[in-house]
Amino acid sequence: MKASLTALSPTRRIATLGFSLLLCLPLLAQHEQTPVNIDRAKTVKETTPPVITFNNYNFSDLKVENTYGAAERFFTAAGTPPSPGDLKTVVVNNEWATLKATPCQDSSLTSCASTATLLANGPSVTIDTKQYVLQQFHFHAPSEHTVDGKLVAMEIHFVHLLNNGCAADDHRPGAVLGAFIVEGVPDPEIGKFFDSLGSLPKKQSDQAKYVRANLSALLPVGKFTWRYEGALTAPAGAGLCGGIIPESIPGGGTVAQQLVSGVFPEVVHWFLYDKPLRLSRDQIQRFKELFPEGNARAIKENENAIYETVIPPVVPPATNPTNAVANPKNATVTTTIVLDGSASVASDGKPLTYSWKSAPGGKNASIVNATSANPLVQFTEGYGNYIFELTVTDSTGVQAKDTTTILYIGR
C-alpha cells in the first residue's frame, strides 16, 4: 500500500487535502509500522508460540467487492463540535484499494460482518483466550511483507477484531493472519474462489460478487511461522472500530492525519505463514490488472521483535538396551528354588522370551518350565554349586544373557 500522497497516481491523490493542511498537521512518530522485511538471521526463535484456534472457519457466503473509489467523510481538525468547514470528503477507504471478501450470515446475504460483531456461527479465531471476529480478507500485489528482502506475487490478509471489544486490548484490537501467494498449479479452493468471481469488480461502485468458499482452505495448512506487533497497512477511518481511532493510539487520528503522516494505526497482532498458497499466472494477472501500479505498501521500520516458530529437534526417547537379569544371586538353599528372570528388560518394551539352562562349571539340575521367567529348579545331583544361565530374546531378535550361582546344601 502507498506510504505517501505523492506516491499515488492522480486518480488516487486526495484532492480535498490542500498544501496548508500538509503543513499544519503534526507528523506522528513511527514505531510499529507494517509491512516489514523478515530477516531470518535476526528473528527471535521460539518453540512455544501462541496457539490460534479456528472457530467456524468453514464454508461461508462471501460478499466480494473492490474498495477502490469508496468515499469517506471526515473532519480535518479536532473539536467538539467540529467546525462544519473542516468536514471533507475523500476518495479513500480502509484497505486503500483492494479486493475484499466479507463473510455473511447466510446465503440470503441479508447480514454481513460489521465492526467486531460475531455473526451467528460466524468465523473467528481464539488467541490467548481472546476471541477475534473475522471482518474480511483481502489481497495485495505484489506481497507487502518480504522474507530476506524477497517479494512474491501476492499476499492475502485475514483481518480480525476483538469480539465486541474494539480498541480495548491495550490499544491493540486487531489480529491479522497473512499468507504469501506464488505462481503455480492453483490450490483448489483459492483457485476456485478466483474463477467463481467471473469478471472482477474494478471499483467500489461496481456490483459486488457473491460466492461461497471454504475459509479454512484459503490459508496454508499448519501453523504460522512469524509473528510481531505492528500496524495496519492502510489508513483506518470509521470502518475499523465504528469511530475515529483515538490519537492516544500511535498512528491514530483522522484519515487525513494518517495519510499526511504516512503512519497508520498500530493496532495489529500480525501472524504470517511461511508456506505459500498458489494461483495460476492468469489468475494472478487478473488481479494485477485491477491495480496496475500495485496495491502493496512499501516496507517500513518496526522496532518490535519478529518471532519465528522453530520446531525443536526430535530427541528419541531414552531406551535401555535389552538386558537379562537372573535372580537370586549367590543364594544358599536346602530345597528346591524358583529362579526369577522378571527383572530383565526389552529395549522396545515388548515381551521377552526366556530360556534357562544349567551352565558349565556347575552341577546339572532339573529345570521345570525352563522357557518361563520363573522356572522351578530341582537339585538332582546333591550337594554343591549349580550355575544357571538365562537367555532373553526381544521382539527384534536381540539376545542378552546372565548367570547366577546357587549353593545347594540339602540332601
Side-chain angles (χ1 to χ4, degrees), residues 228-247:
Y228 72 97
E229 305 294 76
L232 299 171
T233 62
L240 178 69
C241 289
I244 292 176
I245 305 298
E247 292 186 56

Side-chain angles (χ1 to χ4, degrees), residues 73-97:
R73 306 182 76 193
F74 63 95
F75 289 95
T76 59
T80 307
S83 170
D86 290 329
L87 181 61
K88 304 295 181 183
T89 299
V90 62
V91 177
V92 69
N93 48 74
N94 292 344
E95 286 69 33
W96 201 234

Side-chain angles (χ1 to χ4, degrees), residues 186-233:
D187 291 318
E189 195 66 19
I190 193 169
K192 183 176 69 176
F193 173 85
F194 264 82
D195 290 343
S196 64
L197 291 176
S199 59
L200 302 179
K202 296 182 178 180
K203 54 185 180 298
Q204 194 269 341
S205 58
D206 288 348
Q207 184 175 358
K209 302 286 184 177
Y210 297 95
V211 299
R212 185 171 177 79
N214 183 359
L215 298 176
S216 65
L218 297 178
L219 279 170
V221 175
K223 298 180 180 180
F224 67 88
T225 304
W226 301 287
R227 69 178 180 92
Y228 72 97
E229 305 294 76
L232 299 171
T233 62

Side-chain angles (χ1 to χ4, degrees), residues 326-386:
N327 283 322
K329 298 293 187 186
N330 303 315
T332 300
V333 299
T334 60
T335 183
T336 59
I337 188 174
V338 175
L339 300 177
D340 184 7
S342 61
S344 304
V345 294
S347 61
D348 57 6
K350 296 181 179 179
L352 293 163
T353 59
Y354 301 85
S355 176
W356 295 86
K357 68 178 182 179
S358 295
K363 294 176 176 288
N364 290 319
S366 173
I367 305 175
V368 181
N369 295 325
T371 57
S372 70
N374 302 105
L376 173 67
V377 173
Q378 297 172 337
F379 299 95
T380 56
E381 293 192 359
Y383 180 92
N385 284 317
Y386 292 75

Side-chain angles (χ1 to χ4, degrees), residues 40 43-49 224-225 307-313:
R40 301 195 75 162
T43 56
V44 178
K45 307 303 189 288
E46 62 177 356
T47 57
T48 55
F224 67 88
T225 304
Y307 294 88
E308 181 171 359
T309 302
V310 295
I311 300 174

Side-chain angles (χ1 to χ4, degrees), residues 64-294:
V64 183
E65 54 194 331
N66 191 325
T67 62
Y68 176 64
E72 181 166 342
R73 306 182 76 193
F74 63 95
F75 289 95
T76 59
T80 307
S83 170
D86 290 329
L87 181 61
K88 304 295 181 183
T89 299
V90 62
V91 177
V92 69
N93 48 74
N94 292 344
E95 286 69 33
W96 201 234
T98 187
L99 198 64
K100 178 179 74 172
T102 304
C104 298
Q105 186 164 330
D106 51 45
S107 57
S108 66
L109 304 171
T110 56
S111 177
C112 297
S114 60
T115 304
T117 300
L118 181 63
L119 302 173
N121 298 318
S124 68
V125 296
T126 302
I127 308 171
D128 290 336
T129 73
K130 295 177 181 178
Q131 187 179 34
Y132 297 81
V133 179
L134 177 64
Q135 301 296 287
Q136 45 98 344
F137 64 87
H138 61 265
F139 301 87
H140 299 279
S143 63
E144 293 203 304
H145 290 87
T146 58
V147 179
D148 293 332
K150 296 180 181 178
L151 287 166
V152 297
M154 291 178 63
E155 191 170 331
I156 185 172
H157 292 159
F158 282 73
V159 181
H160 305 76
L161 287 175
L162 273 174
N163 184 23
N164 296 323
C166 196
D169 182 32
D170 191 23
H171 300 318
R172 201 177 297 276
V176 179
L177 277 57
F180 298 111
I181 300 174
V182 298
E183 181 183 321
V185 178
D187 291 318
E189 195 66 19
I190 193 169
K192 183 176 69 176
F193 173 85
F194 264 82
D195 290 343
S196 64
L197 291 176
S199 59
L200 302 179
K202 296 182 178 180
K203 54 185 180 298
Q204 194 269 341
S205 58
D206 288 348
Q207 184 175 358
K209 302 286 184 177
Y210 297 95
V211 299
R212 185 171 177 79
N214 183 359
L215 298 176
S216 65
L218 297 178
L219 279 170
V221 175
K223 298 180 180 180
F224 67 88
T225 304
W226 301 287
R227 69 178 180 92
Y228 72 97
E229 305 294 76
L232 299 171
T233 62
L240 178 69
C241 289
I244 292 176
I245 305 298
E247 292 186 56
S248 59
I249 295 176
T254 66
V255 170
Q257 288 173 304
Q258 295 170 43
L259 289 169
V260 171
S261 69
V263 179
F264 297 158
E266 297 172 353
V267 292
V268 178
H269 303 285
W270 276 95
F271 301 89
L272 299 169
Y273 290 80
D274 182 19
K275 182 179 179 182
L277 299 167
R278 287 174 172 79
L279 286 172
S280 70
R281 177 177 298 181
D282 290 343
Q283 290 165 333
I284 293 173
Q285 185 58 33
R286 286 177 62 204
F287 179 82
K288 287 184 174 181
E289 288 173 357
L290 298 176
F291 311 103
E293 299 172 2

